[in-house]
Amino acid sequence: MESESKPKKIGILTAGGDCPGLNAAIRGVGKTAIVEYGMEVYGFNAGYLGLIENDYIKLSESQLSGILTEGGTILGTSREKPYKMVKKGKTKNPEKPKKIKKTYEKLGLDCVVCIGGNGTMKTANMLAQEGINVIGIPKTIDNDVWGTDVTFGFDSAVQVATEAVDRLHTTANSHQRVMIIEVMGHHAGWLALYSGLAGGGDIILIPEVPYNIRSVCKKIEKRYENKKPYSIVVVAEGIDHPKGKSAAAHIGEAIHTYTEIETRETVLGYVQRGGSPTPMDRILATQYGSYAAQCIADGCFGTMVAMNKNELTTIPLSEVGGNLRLVDEEHPLIVKARRMGVSFGDEYLNE
Amino acid sequence: MESESKPKKIGILTAGGDCPGLNAAIRGVGKTAIVEYGMEVYGFNAGYLGLIENDYIKLSESQLSGILTEGGTILGTSREKPYKMVKKGKTKNPEKPKKIKKTYEKLGLDCVVCIGGNGTMKTANMLAQEGINVIGIPKTIDNDVWGTDVTFGFDSAVQVATEAVDRLHTTANSHQRVMIIEVMGHHAGWLALYSGLAGGGDIILIPEVPYNIRSVCKKIEKRYENKKPYSIVVVAEGIDHPKGKSAAAHIGEAIHTYTEIETRETVLGYVQRGGSPTPMDRILATQYGSYAAQCIADGCFGTMVAMNKNELTTIPLSEVGGNLRLVDEEHPLIVKARRMGVSFGDEYLNE
Amino acid sequence: MESESKPKKIGILTAGGDCPGLNAAIRGVGKTAIVEYGMEVYGFNAGYLGLIENDYIKLSESQLSGILTEGGTILGTSREKPYKMVKKGKTKNPEKPKKIKKTYEKLGLDCVVCIGGNGTMKTANMLAQEGINVIGIPKTIDNDVWGTDVTFGFDSAVQVATEAVDRLHTTANSHQRVMIIEVMGHHAGWLALYSGLAGGGDIILIPEVPYNIRSVCKKIEKRYENKKPYSIVVVAEGIDHPKGKSAAAHIGEAIHTYTEIETRETVLGYVQRGGSPTPMDRILATQYGSYAAQCIADGCFGTMVAMNKNELTTIPLSEVGGNLRLVDEEHPLIVKARRMGVSFGDEYLNE
Amino acid sequence: MESESKPKKIGILTAGGDCPGLNAAIRGVGKTAIVEYGMEVYGFNAGYLGLIENDYIKLSESQLSGILTEGGTILGTSREKPYKMVKKGKTKNPEKPKKIKKTYEKLGLDCVVCIGGNGTMKTANMLAQEGINVIGIPKTIDNDVWGTDVTFGFDSAVQVATEAVDRLHTTANSHQRVMIIEVMGHHAGWLALYSGLAGGGDIILIPEVPYNIRSVCKKIEKRYENKKPYSIVVVAEGIDHPKGKSAAAHIGEAIHTYTEIETRETVLGYVQRGGSPTPMDRILATQYGSYAAQCIADGCFGTMVAMNKNELTTIPLSEVGGNLRLVDEEHPLIVKARRMGVSFGDEYLNE
């Protein structure tokens, strides 16, 4: 068959916020495509912008060497959303999707691999509906992409955040203070939950579990009475709090007001998404990338690669977009943490 | 009911080689038992030796604070095997099991939680058959305990080994050498496989995949021809090699003999099992520990807690003992790695 | 001689903000005092508060084992200043110094070792003037204690801050942004200078070098023109900026206003002073501690141990108190950094 | 003056074993030369080999960006010694120096910066004597270059080795074993001394202090009697031991023979010289590099840049070559360590 005789041409792009493992995923796609399937691989610059503006580089195997351990993305990224409403709720700009189609056809691509988070998958799905072959690869330190048990970037972020919690312990103990640390997570509390547990946090506040500040303070006071005059509070940035200040500042001030115990806040910020990926993120990103190349060879388009109960699988992009994978209030980790005395800020609501 | 009115008494011990996460597991068992179930908790010193010699300490909640992040085990460990044959293949010493039973009854224990690897589970199963209530928790950096998808200690060991591989890359490149690194794994190649992939190893040799030294050399020479005059070889200590020298030394010398390329060997050794556990190992060990306490409360004895497709479960100890979980030659990671050009030393056997 | 027949009694306290290496210093004093000189060692809790309230523990050699690598301080610390004016500028409270003297005499101490920063040395000097034998040991992550070339805690803080700068690089590059990172340093810019240089910062702003925001922006724009559309700006918290916002936020907003380039800010916070000390900080703190014990044996009171051109020495406490060691504008590191193209925000003031 | 009107042309090479900070030094030389002095910069490949074979690349400022944090050397290195005797003690091959001179003149170089250890400095001195302008920059993880207080690479190696010692502590404690760790250092014991002290080693054996195995065992037994049934022994690879086995194996076996305590050995190996340099090594290498460029501008040839009592200086290459900076038996760190109970294996020689 002719279609098998000529090498396939594929594109890769990374979109949305950067996170550790993007280069490992690019390498996974590219090396498998080149070594195993003899495909030609093009990397688009700055996410969907490169696709719109026909801005790309051809990737050889040697360009993919040595990037496995590097943070960030050799392709660059952007927040460009080609299907964004021109006026909110009104109308879309049809120019950008047109340009993408033009680039796709001009280059004679057989597929574009879109590496990103929820927003990226949503766009990828729209491209698929326009007849472009796409495969999605889920990445985000928030771990909240629907349809997969885990995204790469998460393990690395947990490590950075946990190391920070570890460091705060010594100051909390030495000064007998309440240390509040705010980690990323606008909607999902995965990062706060994992780094809170791994760091031995006493109180963990996440968007999915509504907290009550009196409950938080009661936990701190009980520890005080039990001769533990210091506490670590891990909060996700997306918990309920007034605008104009950080979640950490809000919680810190409230605790100080009620308990009069000294508090100190840390907003961990962008260090959570930078740096070399952990070994497990390198492996996960590599697997996703390699599997995406296999999916192209198999013609399994319009899907996102995913991990389901430890097995690589695919899920239709149409099922992914717009949905978030949040922490269940009865998640086994929460249930177990409560049994060990960790507070989620909601224990004493009715007392 | 009377059985509910008095607190249960439980023992904990850690046996076999130490690994990161043992303290997290002890804390998980102990805190859940005390905080949630009001049990009394006793820690036995030096593995089964403590049980034999009635050597223990009572553990309070405060003694379990601050150990989550510590490597090693606060209870100590030993290689003591109470059911070991006195003379090989002949007869067992009935004294030690008797003493264990005496300790168990004298203290009025309701269960003993045995944290360890395959050997420990085997012993735990024998104790169970003598009527002692036991629950096993699997740990080992080798990740080879039958019946569970993962053991704690493994993630930490992968991190240490991968960091070492990362470091060797710079010397390999700068000096254009072949660097051979030997990681732990007598029977199972999990650690070599994971750290090899995460570290970007070019050749990975594990006990489960028989290698041929000519195949190894051919891969190195092909890289040389492709202007990559350096290679990283990750080997498990348990691969086929002559006695009297390390696996790394054997492979290094063989490569040098055939290819005349400069080689250097590193045997990573005991650093792989020491130090603070990774966040994921802390969480896994904590979950296992907490779940073991729950199993005690539920009376689910004679089992090992396990992770199966991301879910906590139990498996009868009788099914665990004596079996090893090895790497399948067709494991998805191996298949994917091959497609990206990684050699497992068996590619050119028939050329 | 009678003075030799009975062992000397010494006290140790840690005061002011905690930092990595405090335990190493305590261990250095204590082990040398006990092993070499046969002294009795008492640890006062929570800084000068323990001395005021006669709150102490006796330290044995075994209690000093295993703390070398631990962050924080086993003795706790506080900001208590016994000589603080009761009403500003008016009168001192004579009660606290009296109580200290009482504790000192009651216990029959021969010396108190005071480990801390500038404030702690000032207090130690006042105690010395009242006839109490004191020896000071300088610690602070700010590295700004007068009379010594270096304080322990600094090397560890440089490492944490540099790691953070390293992580921000990947996001800066991937997103083509200006990343601003604020590190500690109210008066002295040592930490910003060192982590800025070690992290490859493009612009470094410190309190000792007055900056001009137009100069900062010009540097960023020049990089942009040279196809480097991202920059790293490292700022000390103590640089000139309006109250009510962080230094990082001020600089970030100003850059965005002038250049319209996207900016992101990170305030690193308390993670800079926590965690295990670096090897060099462990060694420095150990040396200071051991040398302090030797000074006691030699009767060299009223001094602070110090490092001067790589040699251990002492300096009278009366010369230390109240002075700060700041970065000289012509410091060799600044001169060299400028020559390599690093901006300190003052280059284009007169253009 | 004409000599000032045209840019100077300079070469850079890295020779001998690789170590962390080489790229930082290359960047320091290159950026200062280009940005401050407008020089042209050429990088020679694979140490002196590149100079012999006229194998070089021109380095632009942008090629020097992003390498500060990278381990290894972008120029490659080799053990090539152009002045090596053809037959031992007999005669030199005059061809190689001739070729070097030819390359130097053909390219019209004004100076070659030679970055390396003792051997590299020796060669650099010989080139200087032939009329070639050279400047040396000292690097080595062994810290044993004569004429400077410190070399870059050392701080990074201390960190790697100390981390390894930290990890072994947990196994030593948990299993009550004697753990022996061998670190690099053929002639000088700096690395063993520093990592031994920073890691809390109980016994430190270095080439400069002759040890006695009975003294080593006595220390271990005394610890045993004092209820510390585990010990950490840090040995330099260059201590007196029989050929055919490692220093660690020799010491481990001897201890086991005399004391019957379980021992385990680790030979740390090449991981000590790889990976990203520590912040302090990055700064030191940058300073050395930048200062070397300044020395070229000043015409200060035939010298090695050096650190003397915290100040940058130069020392004639003729004074450096062939000499080693060893640890003095009365070094303050040794004296202080002994006072705290650390053994150097020579305490009980005469008992």
Side-chain angles (χ1 to χ4, degrees), chain A residues 60-339:
Chain A
S60 68
E61 199 204 338
S62 75
Q63 278 168 292
L64 298 167
S65 280
I67 65 169
L68 170 64
T69 64
E70 299 294 319
T73 160
I74 57 166
L75 298 176
T77 183
S78 70
R79 300 265 179 200
E80 173 65 41
K81 295 178 182 172
Y83 288 97
K84 203 177 162 187
M85 300 296 167
V86 176
K87 283 185 190 174
K88 189 130 190 144
K90 266 296 194 35
T91 171
K92 289 176 190 175
N93 181 344
E95 284 311 305
K96 290 179 175 177
K98 256 188 214 164
K99 285 184 176 176
I100 288 177
K101 209 148 190 186
K102 203 172 150 194
T103 299
Y104 185 80
E105 284 163 2
K106 196 175 156 193
L107 261 170
L109 293 178
D110 294 290
C111 182
V112 179
V113 178
C114 303
I115 310 173
N118 281 300
T120 304
M121 293 309 131
K122 215 169 160 180
T123 301
N125 185 41
M126 286 171 176
L127 292 176
Q129 286 168 357
E130 300 215 18
I132 291 178
N133 292 336
V134 294
I135 306 245
I137 298 180
K139 72 91 194 125
T140 162
I141 65 163
D142 293 336
N143 205 28
D144 62 355
V145 176
W146 182 263
T148 184
D149 290 348
V150 65
T151 58
F152 69 79
F154 179 59
D155 192 64
S156 302
V158 170
Q159 176 147 313
V160 174
T162 303
E163 232 172 70
V165 177
D166 285 356
R167 286 188 186 283
L168 296 182
H169 266 291
T170 60
T171 297
N173 291 6
S174 300
H175 284 274
Q176 310 209 333
R177 283 173 184 160
V178 176
M179 303 296 283
I180 297 103
I181 178 167
E182 177 180 323
V183 301
M184 285 184 167
H186 272 298
H187 305 290
W190 294 109
L191 184 51
L193 177 61
Y194 272 70
S195 61
L197 289 181
D202 304 298
I203 298 168
I204 299 171
L205 305 182
I206 62 175
E208 295 91 336
V209 180
Y211 71 94
N212 179 294
I213 200 68
R214 287 192 183 273
S215 189
V216 171
C217 294
K218 193 151 185 178
K219 170 72 181 174
I220 290 167
E221 283 164 347
K222 282 199 173 180
R223 283 180 56 82
Y224 213 93
E225 286 159 20
N226 290 324
K227 311 242 166 155
K228 291 174 179 169
Y230 53 84
S231 296
I232 301 281
V233 185
V234 180
V235 308
E237 66 183 328
I239 60 163
D240 188 39
H241 70 280
K243 286 208 168 179
K245 60 172 82 171
S246 67
H250 171 63
I251 297 297
E253 288 163 20
I255 291 172
H256 184 64
T257 302
Y258 282 107
T259 66
E260 294 188 352
I261 299 174
E262 237 183 303
T263 58
R264 290 289 186 281
E265 297 89 36
T266 298
V267 179
L268 202 49
Y270 285 87
V271 295
Q272 292 166 83
R273 59 195 323 148
S276 182
T278 57
M280 289 308 178
D281 266 345
R282 296 180 196 177
I283 290 174
L284 181 61
T286 297
Q287 276 186 288
Y288 276 164
S290 182
Y291 190 55
Q294 181 184 334
C295 289
I296 295 171
D298 294 347
C300 177
F301 302 119
T303 62
M304 182 183 82
V305 301
M307 195 62 85
N308 186 267
K309 295 183 182 298
N310 284 347
E311 281 187 29
L312 274 173
T313 182
T314 55
I315 174 171
L317 275 165
S318 55
E319 290 182 22
V320 177
N323 293 316
L324 283 174
R325 198 178 70 94
L326 301 180
V327 180
D328 192 283
E329 283 195 53
E330 294 301 316
H331 189 282
L333 277 181
I334 292 184
V335 173
K336 278 174 188 50
R338 288 190 197 273
R339 284 182 187 152

